[in-house]
mmCIF file of all heavy atoms in Angstrom:
data_model
loop_
_atom_site.group_PDB
_atom_site.id
_atom_site.type_symbol
_atom_site.label_atom_id
_atom_site.label_comp_id
_atom_site.label_asym_id
_atom_site.label_seq_id
_atom_site.Cartn_x
_atom_site.Cartn_y
_atom_site.Cartn_z
ATOM 1 N N SER A 53 32.546 -16.074 -1.521
ATOM 2 C CA SER A 53 31.854 -16.993 -0.620
ATOM 3 C C SER A 53 32.472 -16.965 0.772
ATOM 4 O O SER A 53 31.771 -16.914 1.788
ATOM 5 C CB SER A 53 31.883 -18.410 -1.188
ATOM 6 O OG SER A 53 31.223 -18.486 -2.430
ATOM 7 N N ILE A 106 -8.999 -15.546 11.576
ATOM 8 C CA ILE A 106 -10.441 -15.643 11.806
ATOM 9 C C ILE A 106 -11.191 -14.711 10.851
ATOM 10 O O ILE A 106 -12.181 -15.087 10.214
ATOM 11 C CB ILE A 106 -10.788 -15.280 13.272
ATOM 12 C CG1 ILE A 106 -10.157 -16.280 14.247
ATOM 13 C CG2 ILE A 106 -12.301 -15.204 13.466
ATOM 14 C CD1 ILE A 106 -10.687 -17.679 14.146
ATOM 15 N N LYS A 121 -24.249 3.256 -1.051
ATOM 16 C CA LYS A 121 -25.030 4.500 -1.136
ATOM 17 C C LYS A 121 -25.675 4.821 0.212
ATOM 18 O O LYS A 121 -25.702 5.998 0.633
ATOM 19 C CB LYS A 121 -26.112 4.359 -2.214
ATOM 20 C CG LYS A 121 -26.793 5.674 -2.573
ATOM 21 C CD LYS A 121 -25.804 6.649 -3.211
ATOM 22 C CE LYS A 121 -26.489 7.856 -3.819
ATOM 23 N NZ LYS A 121 -27.144 8.700 -2.821
ATOM 24 N N TYR A 142 -9.733 16.069 -21.768
ATOM 25 C CA TYR A 142 -8.736 16.886 -22.481
ATOM 26 C C TYR A 142 -8.066 16.054 -23.560
ATOM 27 O O TYR A 142 -8.062 14.816 -23.516
ATOM 28 C CB TYR A 142 -7.675 17.420 -21.512
ATOM 29 C CG TYR A 142 -6.605 16.414 -21.162
ATOM 30 C CD1 TYR A 142 -5.451 16.290 -21.935
ATOM 31 C CD2 TYR A 142 -6.749 15.572 -20.063
ATOM 32 C CE1 TYR A 142 -4.486 15.351 -21.626
ATOM 33 C CE2 TYR A 142 -5.788 14.639 -19.746
ATOM 34 C CZ TYR A 142 -4.651 14.536 -20.532
ATOM 35 O OH TYR A 142 -3.701 13.595 -20.240
ATOM 36 N N PHE A 160 -15.321 19.537 -28.536
ATOM 37 C CA PHE A 160 -16.178 20.447 -27.773
ATOM 38 C C PHE A 160 -17.667 20.134 -27.947
ATOM 39 O O PHE A 160 -18.485 20.485 -27.089
ATOM 40 C CB PHE A 160 -15.873 21.896 -28.148
ATOM 41 C CG PHE A 160 -14.575 22.394 -27.585
ATOM 42 C CD1 PHE A 160 -13.547 22.804 -28.416
ATOM 43 C CD2 PHE A 160 -14.364 22.435 -26.211
ATOM 44 C CE1 PHE A 160 -12.343 23.253 -27.902
ATOM 45 C CE2 PHE A 160 -13.161 22.882 -25.687
ATOM 46 C CZ PHE A 160 -12.140 23.286 -26.523
ATOM 47 N N PHE A 169 -14.999 7.650 -34.302
ATOM 48 C CA PHE A 169 -14.097 8.739 -34.700
ATOM 49 C C PHE A 169 -12.897 8.809 -33.773
ATOM 50 O O PHE A 169 -11.753 8.882 -34.218
ATOM 51 C CB PHE A 169 -14.855 10.066 -34.695
ATOM 52 C CG PHE A 169 -13.973 11.262 -34.916
ATOM 53 C CD1 PHE A 169 -13.667 11.697 -36.191
ATOM 54 C CD2 PHE A 169 -13.427 11.963 -33.826
ATOM 55 C CE1 PHE A 169 -12.841 12.804 -36.393
ATOM 56 C CE2 PHE A 169 -12.616 13.059 -34.022
ATOM 57 C CZ PHE A 169 -12.319 13.476 -35.301
ATOM 58 N N TRP A 170 -13.155 8.765 -32.452
ATOM 59 C CA TRP A 170 -12.063 8.876 -31.484
ATOM 60 C C TRP A 170 -11.163 7.645 -31.505
ATOM 61 O O TRP A 170 -9.956 7.765 -31.313
ATOM 62 C CB TRP A 170 -12.614 9.133 -30.086
ATOM 63 C CG TRP A 170 -13.242 10.493 -29.974
ATOM 64 C CD1 TRP A 170 -14.549 10.784 -29.804
ATOM 65 C CD2 TRP A 170 -12.554 11.742 -30.073
ATOM 66 N NE1 TRP A 170 -14.747 12.150 -29.778
ATOM 67 C CE2 TRP A 170 -13.530 12.761 -29.941
ATOM 68 C CE3 TRP A 170 -11.226 12.111 -30.274
ATOM 69 C CZ2 TRP A 170 -13.219 14.114 -29.996
ATOM 70 C CZ3 TRP A 170 -10.900 13.461 -30.329
ATOM 71 C CH2 TRP A 170 -11.892 14.445 -30.192
ATOM 72 N N ASP A 171 -11.748 6.481 -31.758
ATOM 73 C CA ASP A 171 -10.922 5.278 -31.899
ATOM 74 C C ASP A 171 -9.968 5.420 -33.085
ATOM 75 O O ASP A 171 -8.820 4.960 -33.037
ATOM 76 C CB ASP A 171 -11.805 4.039 -32.100
ATOM 77 C CG ASP A 171 -12.547 3.644 -30.833
ATOM 78 O OD1 ASP A 171 -12.165 4.128 -29.744
ATOM 79 O OD2 ASP A 171 -13.511 2.856 -30.932
ATOM 80 N N SER A 191 -4.427 18.266 -8.240
ATOM 81 C CA SER A 191 -2.972 18.092 -8.326
ATOM 82 C C SER A 191 -2.583 17.143 -9.459
ATOM 83 O O SER A 191 -1.484 17.245 -10.011
ATOM 84 C CB SER A 191 -2.421 17.577 -6.998
ATOM 85 O OG SER A 191 -3.040 16.352 -6.636
ATOM 86 N N PRO A 202 -0.649 25.741 -9.554
ATOM 87 C CA PRO A 202 -1.363 26.241 -8.371
ATOM 88 C C PRO A 202 -1.606 27.745 -8.362
ATOM 89 O O PRO A 202 -2.571 28.214 -7.762
ATOM 90 C CB PRO A 202 -0.446 25.823 -7.211
ATOM 91 C CG PRO A 202 0.272 24.616 -7.726
ATOM 92 C CD PRO A 202 0.511 24.889 -9.183
ATOM 93 N N LEU A 225 -6.706 20.986 -25.774
ATOM 94 C CA LEU A 225 -8.137 21.276 -25.737
ATOM 95 C C LEU A 225 -8.671 20.667 -24.439
ATOM 96 O O LEU A 225 -8.450 19.485 -24.168
ATOM 97 C CB LEU A 225 -8.853 20.666 -26.939
ATOM 98 C CG LEU A 225 -8.337 21.078 -28.322
ATOM 99 C CD1 LEU A 225 -9.135 20.352 -29.404
ATOM 100 C CD2 LEU A 225 -8.426 22.588 -28.507
ATOM 101 N N LYS A 256 -15.084 -6.120 9.963
ATOM 102 C CA LYS A 256 -13.988 -6.831 10.635
ATOM 103 C C LYS A 256 -13.981 -6.538 12.132
ATOM 104 O O LYS A 256 -13.821 -7.452 12.947
ATOM 105 C CB LYS A 256 -12.650 -6.420 10.013
ATOM 106 C CG LYS A 256 -12.428 -6.940 8.597
ATOM 107 C CD LYS A 256 -11.095 -6.452 8.047
ATOM 108 C CE LYS A 256 -10.872 -6.963 6.629
ATOM 109 N NZ LYS A 256 -9.581 -6.484 6.052
#
Side-chain angles (χ1 to χ4, degrees):
S53 298
I106 296 295
K121 191 65 169 65
Y142 80 89
F160 286 118
F169 173 87
W170 292 112
D171 289 344
S191 58
L225 303 178
K256 290 178 180 179

